[in-house]
Amino acid sequence: MGITNEFVDSSVQDITLQDDAFHGRRYLPFIEWWYFDAKFENGYTIAFSVQVINLIVKRMVSTRLSIFNQGTVVLKSYEKYPLKEFFASPDIPFITIAGKQLMSGMYDASRDCFVYNLTIEVPEGSLSLEFIGCTKGWKLQHQTRDWWGVILPRANVTGTITLDSMKIHVTGIGYHDHNWHVSPRIVSKFGWIWGTCHSENYTITWAEVYSTRLTSHPILVINEKDGGYLDIPPDAIWFSTKKTKFDHLKFIPWLLNIETTSEKVLLIINMEVTSMDHTKFLGFIDYWRYHMTYTGTIITDCHMETVEGTSIMECLRF
């Protein structure tokens, strides 16, 4: 059993710590964001993101924090700041807003992994979490020339979340990614869906990026815990939507299936949405945060594991 980065034609590349630093685009308009989520053993889940928006008509930075209990929103915060309140290092993952440190990342040579600390305080609550990576990070460039960097496909997460002065100690599994060099023309696309699934030793990161309602580009990367990753060619990935739901004047996926068959791996996963939370972004982008259950099987090098659990998924429509 073992995954190595063996596809010669792979568009996926190894990621570095500096890739997760601030990029910007000099004088060109851009959007850049960092995203974290975590699923805890006690039923709580969190999703947090920082968005930097530098457009002709809007220049700002925002933070979004959602805390869920059994898939139900118990805290939802959206904060906006002028760009002058934002600082991010161009060399290492390090972000402060209004003088408060939110995120810092480092490479721990003794454990050969990336380690991140996330500290968020909002009027309704707070969190303080440490993410210790246990999979190899990767990055890829989309056809629109923007980058998607998944620096922590899977991480062990420990820390505390605080709700109404009640401190809760948490342990679980987390994820972190970063998108940069995103230009305003991205809104000419239809949108995307994205998510992750886990077995005992494997993490599956998947996405389907829609150019139009009927044309899309599938992405599927499989990480081995404490090992490498496998980028599945698009023509060997099959996404299917078995059921949709009409919400906020749009049809969104509700029951999905992912399959791939190659010399390296066989994978079948069925996913069903159990709850969702909708947000409007920039006033016109529809954004859904799902909780979903998934079941399936992964076979690699004659080794079979069950893929089963609850995870977070997003759906975005321009």
Side-chain angles (χ1 to χ4, degrees):
M1 178 176 65
I3 284 180
T4 56
N5 317 332
E6 296 182 8
F7 277 119
V8 175
D9 297 329
S10 172
S11 60
V12 171
Q13 306 170 31
D14 290 352
I15 201 166
T16 67
L17 196 67
Q18 189 172 11
D19 285 323
D20 202 30
F22 179 59
H23 294 263
R25 291 186 76 208
R26 290 183 173 269
Y27 304 107
L28 296 175
F30 70 90
I31 304 172
E32 183 168 352
W33 65 89
W34 294 258
Y35 170 85
F36 291 82
D37 70 36
K39 302 162 283 292
F40 301 117
E41 296 171 356
N42 60 3
Y44 282 92
T45 53
I46 67 102
F48 173 76
S49 59
V50 178
Q51 300 87 26
V52 182
I53 300 167
N54 189 357
L55 305 176
I56 296 174
V57 296
K58 187 180 290 287
R59 300 180 73 250
M60 57 174 278
V61 59
S62 64
T63 62
R64 293 178 182 271
L65 171 64
S66 297
I67 300 178
F68 307 84
N69 186 5
Q70 308 297 333
T72 300
V73 178
V74 293
L75 184 154
K76 190 173 181 179
S77 171
Y78 173 54
E79 304 285 339
K80 296 189 295 183
Y81 306 86
L83 272 183
K84 65 181 181 180
E85 298 286 346
F86 169 78
F87 171 79
S89 168
D91 302 311
I92 60 172
F94 182 83
I95 296 175
T96 67
I97 298 180
K100 294 183 179 180
Q101 179 179 315
L102 273 67
M103 179 197 85
S104 65
M106 59 169 284
Y107 172 69
D108 186 331
S110 65
R111 292 183 284 187
D112 188 27
C113 65
F114 294 124
V115 177
Y116 279 71
N117 286 285
L118 195 63
T119 304
I120 317 298
E121 295 181 4
V122 297
E124 304 91 341
S126 65
L127 59 82
S128 177
L129 301 173
E130 182 179 60
F131 289 67
I132 302 176
C134 52
T135 46
K136 187 177 181 64
W138 46 267
K139 63 183 178 181
L140 62 84
Q141 190 171 28
H142 293 295
Q143 295 173 345
T144 46
R145 312 309 297 170
D146 53 300
W147 287 87
W148 178 27
V150 181
I151 197 162
L152 297 177
R154 180 171 179 165
N156 295 319
V157 185
T158 57
T160 60
I161 58 178
T162 302
L163 297 167
D164 296 326
S165 300
M166 178 180 65
K167 181 175 287 190
I168 305 166
H169 293 271
V170 291
T171 301
I173 295 176
Y175 167 93
H176 166 49
D177 70 15
H178 177 191
N179 293 74
W180 67 90
H181 288 173
V182 181
S183 76
R185 67 175 179 270
I186 194 174
V187 300
S188 66
K189 305 299 181 180
F190 184 70
W192 61 74
I193 56 175
W194 158 91
T196 61
C197 301
H198 304 283
S199 68
E200 181 179 356
N201 290 292
Y202 297 99
T203 292
I204 299 97
T205 305
W206 59 268
E208 191 161 23
V209 182
Y210 292 90
S211 298
T212 69
R213 184 183 297 273
L214 300 177
T215 59
S216 64
H217 176 76
I219 300 168
L220 182 62
V221 180
I222 301 172
N223 278 87
E224 184 179 13
K225 191 175 181 181
D226 301 316
Y229 56 78
L230 189 67
D231 175 27
I232 306 300
D235 58 4
I237 305 169
W238 295 277
F239 282 104
S240 59
T241 300
K242 304 295 186 180
K243 181 181 177 181
T244 60
K245 183 173 181 177
F246 192 67
D247 185 75
H248 289 81
L249 303 179
K250 290 179 172 64
F251 284 101
I252 56 174
W254 202 258
L255 188 63
L256 303 98
N257 169 264
I258 301 175
E259 297 185 18
T260 185
T261 303
S262 71
E263 295 180 358
K264 296 292 181 181
V265 64
L266 184 147
L267 174 71
I268 301 173
I269 304 176
N270 294 305
M271 298 176 288
E272 183 172 8
V273 175
T274 55
S275 64
M276 69 173 180
D277 179 53
H278 174 268
T279 299
K280 277 283 189 184
F281 184 56
L282 294 180
F284 70 97
I285 301 172
D286 286 293
Y287 180 86
W288 291 267
R289 176 71 54 203
Y290 294 142
H291 283 74
M292 63 179 187
T293 57
Y294 57 87
T295 58
T297 300
I298 183 171
I299 302 175
T300 177
D301 293 339
C302 299
H303 173 78
M304 182 175 71
E305 290 190 6
T306 298
V307 182
E308 186 175 31
T310 299
S311 193
I312 291 175
M313 166 184 159
E314 78 177 24
C315 175
L316 184 143
R317 293 285 186 268
F318 292 110

Short mmCIF file of all heavy atoms in Angstrom, two decimals, residues 33-66:
data_model
loop_
_atom_site.label_atom_id
_atom_site.label_comp_id
_atom_site.label_asym_id
_atom_site.label_seq_id
_atom_site.Cartn_x
_atom_site.Cartn_y
_atom_site.Cartn_z
N TRP A 33 -8.35 34.33 -1.15
CA TRP A 33 -8.94 33.91 0.11
C TRP A 33 -8.25 32.67 0.68
O TRP A 33 -7.64 31.88 -0.03
CB TRP A 33 -10.44 33.67 -0.01
CG TRP A 33 -10.88 32.55 -0.89
CD1 TRP A 33 -11.06 31.23 -0.55
CD2 TRP A 33 -11.25 32.64 -2.28
NE1 TRP A 33 -11.50 30.51 -1.63
CE2 TRP A 33 -11.63 31.35 -2.70
CE3 TRP A 33 -11.30 33.70 -3.19
CZ2 TRP A 33 -12.04 31.08 -4.01
CZ3 TRP A 33 -11.71 33.43 -4.50
CH2 TRP A 33 -12.08 32.14 -4.89
N TRP A 34 -8.33 32.57 2.02
CA TRP A 34 -7.85 31.42 2.79
C TRP A 34 -9.07 30.80 3.48
O TRP A 34 -9.94 31.50 4.00
CB TRP A 34 -6.85 31.84 3.86
CG TRP A 34 -5.56 32.39 3.36
CD1 TRP A 34 -4.35 31.75 3.30
CD2 TRP A 34 -5.29 33.73 2.91
NE1 TRP A 34 -3.37 32.58 2.82
CE2 TRP A 34 -3.93 33.81 2.57
CE3 TRP A 34 -6.09 34.87 2.73
CZ2 TRP A 34 -3.33 34.97 2.07
CZ3 TRP A 34 -5.52 36.03 2.23
CH2 TRP A 34 -4.15 36.07 1.92
N TYR A 35 -9.09 29.47 3.54
CA TYR A 35 -10.25 28.76 4.09
C TYR A 35 -9.78 27.62 5.01
O TYR A 35 -8.83 26.90 4.69
CB TYR A 35 -11.11 28.20 2.95
CG TYR A 35 -12.19 27.24 3.40
CD1 TYR A 35 -13.42 27.72 3.85
CD2 TYR A 35 -11.97 25.87 3.40
CE1 TYR A 35 -14.41 26.84 4.28
CE2 TYR A 35 -12.96 24.99 3.82
CZ TYR A 35 -14.16 25.47 4.27
OH TYR A 35 -15.13 24.60 4.70
N PHE A 36 -10.48 27.48 6.14
CA PHE A 36 -10.25 26.37 7.07
C PHE A 36 -11.60 25.74 7.43
O PHE A 36 -12.61 26.46 7.56
CB PHE A 36 -9.62 26.85 8.38
CG PHE A 36 -8.21 27.34 8.27
CD1 PHE A 36 -7.93 28.64 7.84
CD2 PHE A 36 -7.15 26.52 8.64
CE1 PHE A 36 -6.62 29.10 7.77
CE2 PHE A 36 -5.83 26.98 8.57
CZ PHE A 36 -5.57 28.26 8.13
N ASP A 37 -11.61 24.44 7.61
CA ASP A 37 -12.76 23.82 8.28
C ASP A 37 -12.27 22.69 9.16
O ASP A 37 -11.12 22.22 9.05
CB ASP A 37 -13.86 23.38 7.30
CG ASP A 37 -13.50 22.20 6.42
OD1 ASP A 37 -12.79 21.28 6.89
OD2 ASP A 37 -13.93 22.17 5.25
N ALA A 38 -13.12 22.25 10.08
CA ALA A 38 -12.78 21.15 10.98
C ALA A 38 -14.05 20.49 11.45
O ALA A 38 -15.09 21.14 11.65
CB ALA A 38 -11.97 21.66 12.17
N LYS A 39 -13.96 19.17 11.62
CA LYS A 39 -15.06 18.35 12.11
C LYS A 39 -14.59 17.68 13.40
O LYS A 39 -13.59 16.97 13.40
CB LYS A 39 -15.43 17.31 11.05
CG LYS A 39 -15.83 17.94 9.72
CD LYS A 39 -15.78 16.96 8.57
CE LYS A 39 -14.36 16.70 8.10
NZ LYS A 39 -13.73 17.87 7.46
N PHE A 40 -15.34 17.92 14.48
CA PHE A 40 -14.88 17.48 15.79
C PHE A 40 -15.64 16.26 16.28
O PHE A 40 -16.79 16.01 15.87
CB PHE A 40 -15.01 18.62 16.80
CG PHE A 40 -14.22 19.84 16.41
CD1 PHE A 40 -14.86 21.05 16.14
CD2 PHE A 40 -12.84 19.78 16.28
CE1 PHE A 40 -14.14 22.17 15.79
CE2 PHE A 40 -12.11 20.90 15.91
CZ PHE A 40 -12.75 22.10 15.66
N GLU A 41 -15.00 15.52 17.19
CA GLU A 41 -15.58 14.27 17.68
C GLU A 41 -16.87 14.48 18.47
O GLU A 41 -17.68 13.55 18.58
CB GLU A 41 -14.54 13.54 18.54
CG GLU A 41 -13.30 13.11 17.75
CD GLU A 41 -12.19 12.58 18.64
OE1 GLU A 41 -12.36 12.62 19.90
OE2 GLU A 41 -11.16 12.12 18.12
N ASN A 42 -17.07 15.68 19.01
CA ASN A 42 -18.27 15.94 19.81
C ASN A 42 -19.45 16.45 18.99
O ASN A 42 -20.47 16.88 19.55
CB ASN A 42 -17.96 16.93 20.94
CG ASN A 42 -17.47 18.27 20.42
OD1 ASN A 42 -17.39 18.51 19.21
ND2 ASN A 42 -17.12 19.17 21.34
N GLY A 43 -19.34 16.43 17.65
CA GLY A 43 -20.45 16.84 16.80
C GLY A 43 -20.40 18.28 16.33
O GLY A 43 -21.20 18.68 15.47
N TYR A 44 -19.49 19.08 16.86
CA TYR A 44 -19.32 20.46 16.38
C TYR A 44 -18.48 20.46 15.11
O TYR A 44 -17.58 19.63 14.92
CB TYR A 44 -18.65 21.32 17.44
CG TYR A 44 -19.57 21.77 18.55
CD1 TYR A 44 -19.69 21.02 19.72
CD2 TYR A 44 -20.31 22.95 18.44
CE1 TYR A 44 -20.53 21.42 20.75
CE2 TYR A 44 -21.14 23.37 19.46
CZ TYR A 44 -21.26 22.60 20.61
OH TYR A 44 -22.10 23.00 21.63
N THR A 45 -18.76 21.41 14.24
CA THR A 45 -17.94 21.66 13.05
C THR A 45 -17.77 23.17 12.90
O THR A 45 -18.60 23.95 13.38
CB THR A 45 -18.59 21.09 11.77
OG1 THR A 45 -19.94 21.58 11.67
CG2 THR A 45 -18.61 19.58 11.77
N ILE A 46 -16.67 23.56 12.26
CA ILE A 46 -16.44 24.99 12.02
C ILE A 46 -15.98 25.21 10.59
O ILE A 46 -15.37 24.33 9.96
CB ILE A 46 -15.41 25.59 13.01
CG1 ILE A 46 -13.99 24.99 12.77
CG2 ILE A 46 -15.83 25.37 14.45
CD1 ILE A 46 -13.05 25.88 12.00
N ALA A 47 -16.29 26.38 10.07
CA ALA A 47 -15.77 26.83 8.77
C ALA A 47 -15.38 28.29 8.94
O ALA A 47 -16.17 29.10 9.44
CB ALA A 47 -16.81 26.66 7.67
N PHE A 48 -14.16 28.63 8.50
CA PHE A 48 -13.67 30.00 8.63
C PHE A 48 -12.92 30.39 7.37
O PHE A 48 -12.19 29.59 6.79
CB PHE A 48 -12.73 30.13 9.83
CG PHE A 48 -12.07 31.48 9.92
CD1 PHE A 48 -12.78 32.58 10.36
CD2 PHE A 48 -10.75 31.65 9.53
CE1 PHE A 48 -12.19 33.84 10.41
CE2 PHE A 48 -10.15 32.89 9.58
CZ PHE A 48 -10.88 34.00 10.03
N SER A 49 -13.11 31.64 6.94
CA SER A 49 -12.39 32.11 5.75
C SER A 49 -12.07 33.60 5.88
O SER A 49 -12.75 34.35 6.57
CB SER A 49 -13.22 31.86 4.49
OG SER A 49 -14.47 32.53 4.55
N VAL A 50 -10.99 33.98 5.19
CA VAL A 50 -10.59 35.38 5.04
C VAL A 50 -10.59 35.68 3.55
O VAL A 50 -9.96 34.96 2.77
CB VAL A 50 -9.19 35.64 5.62
CG1 VAL A 50 -8.78 37.10 5.38
CG2 VAL A 50 -9.14 35.31 7.10
N GLN A 51 -11.31 36.73 3.12
CA GLN A 51 -11.37 37.12 1.72
C GLN A 51 -10.78 38.52 1.55
O GLN A 51 -11.18 39.45 2.26
CB GLN A 51 -12.82 37.13 1.20
CG GLN A 51 -13.55 35.81 1.28
CD GLN A 51 -14.22 35.59 2.62
OE1 GLN A 51 -14.57 36.52 3.32
NE2 GLN A 51 -14.38 34.33 3.00
N VAL A 52 -9.84 38.64 0.62
CA VAL A 52 -9.29 39.94 0.26
C VAL A 52 -9.84 40.32 -1.11
O VAL A 52 -9.66 39.57 -2.08
CB VAL A 52 -7.75 39.91 0.23
CG1 VAL A 52 -7.21 41.30 -0.11
CG2 VAL A 52 -7.18 39.42 1.55
N ILE A 53 -10.50 41.46 -1.18
CA ILE A 53 -11.15 41.89 -2.42
C ILE A 53 -10.56 43.23 -2.82
O ILE A 53 -10.68 44.22 -2.10
CB ILE A 53 -12.68 42.01 -2.23
CG1 ILE A 53 -13.26 40.66 -1.81
CG2 ILE A 53 -13.35 42.51 -3.50
CD1 ILE A 53 -14.67 40.73 -1.30
N ASN A 54 -9.89 43.25 -3.97
CA ASN A 54 -9.27 44.47 -4.47
C ASN A 54 -9.76 44.68 -5.90
O ASN A 54 -9.12 44.26 -6.87
CB ASN A 54 -7.75 44.36 -4.42
CG ASN A 54 -7.07 45.69 -4.71
OD1 ASN A 54 -7.73 46.68 -5.02
ND2 ASN A 54 -5.76 45.72 -4.63
N LEU A 55 -10.93 45.30 -6.02
CA LEU A 55 -11.56 45.55 -7.31
C LEU A 55 -11.72 47.05 -7.51
O LEU A 55 -11.57 47.84 -6.56
CB LEU A 55 -12.93 44.86 -7.38
CG LEU A 55 -12.95 43.36 -7.08
CD1 LEU A 55 -14.38 42.84 -7.09
CD2 LEU A 55 -12.09 42.59 -8.07
N ILE A 56 -12.03 47.44 -8.70
CA ILE A 56 -12.19 48.86 -8.99
C ILE A 56 -13.31 49.47 -8.16
O ILE A 56 -13.20 50.59 -7.64
CB ILE A 56 -12.45 49.07 -10.50
CG1 ILE A 56 -11.22 48.61 -11.30
CG2 ILE A 56 -12.77 50.53 -10.79
CD1 ILE A 56 -11.43 48.63 -12.80
N VAL A 57 -14.40 48.70 -7.99
CA VAL A 57 -15.58 49.23 -7.30
C VAL A 57 -15.62 48.85 -5.81
O VAL A 57 -16.45 49.36 -5.07
CB VAL A 57 -16.87 48.74 -7.98
CG1 VAL A 57 -16.96 49.29 -9.39
CG2 VAL A 57 -16.93 47.21 -8.01
N LYS A 58 -14.73 47.97 -5.38
CA LYS A 58 -14.77 47.53 -3.98
C LYS A 58 -13.37 47.11 -3.54
O LYS A 58 -12.71 46.30 -4.21
CB LYS A 58 -15.75 46.37 -3.81
CG LYS A 58 -15.99 45.97 -2.35
CD LYS A 58 -16.96 44.81 -2.27
CE LYS A 58 -18.37 45.22 -2.62
NZ LYS A 58 -18.98 46.04 -1.56
N ARG A 59 -12.92 47.64 -2.39
CA ARG A 59 -11.63 47.28 -1.83
C ARG A 59 -11.84 47.04 -0.33
O ARG A 59 -12.12 47.96 0.42
CB ARG A 59 -10.59 48.38 -2.06
CG ARG A 59 -10.35 48.68 -3.52
CD ARG A 59 -9.31 49.79 -3.73
NE ARG A 59 -7.96 49.31 -3.45
CZ ARG A 59 -7.23 49.69 -2.41
NH1 ARG A 59 -7.75 50.53 -1.50
NH2 ARG A 59 -6.01 49.23 -2.23
N MET A 60 -11.72 45.78 0.08
CA MET A 60 -12.01 45.44 1.47
C MET A 60 -11.42 44.07 1.80
O MET A 60 -10.97 43.32 0.92
CB MET A 60 -13.53 45.40 1.71
CG MET A 60 -14.26 44.41 0.79
SD MET A 60 -16.01 44.21 1.15
CE MET A 60 -15.90 43.03 2.49
N VAL A 61 -11.44 43.73 3.08
CA VAL A 61 -11.14 42.39 3.54
C VAL A 61 -12.29 41.97 4.45
O VAL A 61 -12.85 42.81 5.19
CB VAL A 61 -9.78 42.32 4.27
CG1 VAL A 61 -9.76 43.25 5.48
CG2 VAL A 61 -9.45 40.90 4.70
N SER A 62 -12.66 40.71 4.39
CA SER A 62 -13.76 40.23 5.22
C SER A 62 -13.39 38.89 5.84
O SER A 62 -12.52 38.16 5.34
CB SER A 62 -15.05 40.08 4.40
OG SER A 62 -14.90 39.09 3.40
N THR A 63 -14.04 38.58 6.96
CA THR A 63 -13.89 37.28 7.60
C THR A 63 -15.28 36.67 7.78
O THR A 63 -16.25 37.39 8.05
CB THR A 63 -13.20 37.38 8.97
OG1 THR A 63 -14.01 38.18 9.85
CG2 THR A 63 -11.83 38.02 8.84
N ARG A 64 -15.33 35.36 7.63
CA ARG A 64 -16.59 34.63 7.83
C ARG A 64 -16.32 33.44 8.74
O ARG A 64 -15.43 32.64 8.46
CB ARG A 64 -17.17 34.15 6.50
CG ARG A 64 -17.64 35.27 5.60
CD ARG A 64 -18.15 34.73 4.25
NE ARG A 64 -18.55 35.82 3.38
CZ ARG A 64 -19.76 36.37 3.34
NH1 ARG A 64 -20.72 35.87 4.12
NH2 ARG A 64 -20.05 37.36 2.52
N LEU A 65 -17.07 33.36 9.81
CA LEU A 65 -16.95 32.25 10.75
C LEU A 65 -18.33 31.63 10.98
O LEU A 65 -19.28 32.35 11.30
CB LEU A 65 -16.37 32.72 12.09
CG LEU A 65 -16.39 31.70 13.23
CD1 LEU A 65 -15.50 30.51 12.91
CD2 LEU A 65 -15.96 32.35 14.54
N SER A 66 -18.40 30.33 10.79
CA SER A 66 -19.63 29.58 11.10
C SER A 66 -19.27 28.42 12.01
O SER A 66 -18.30 27.70 11.76
CB SER A 66 -20.29 29.04 9.83
OG SER A 66 -20.71 30.09 8.99
#
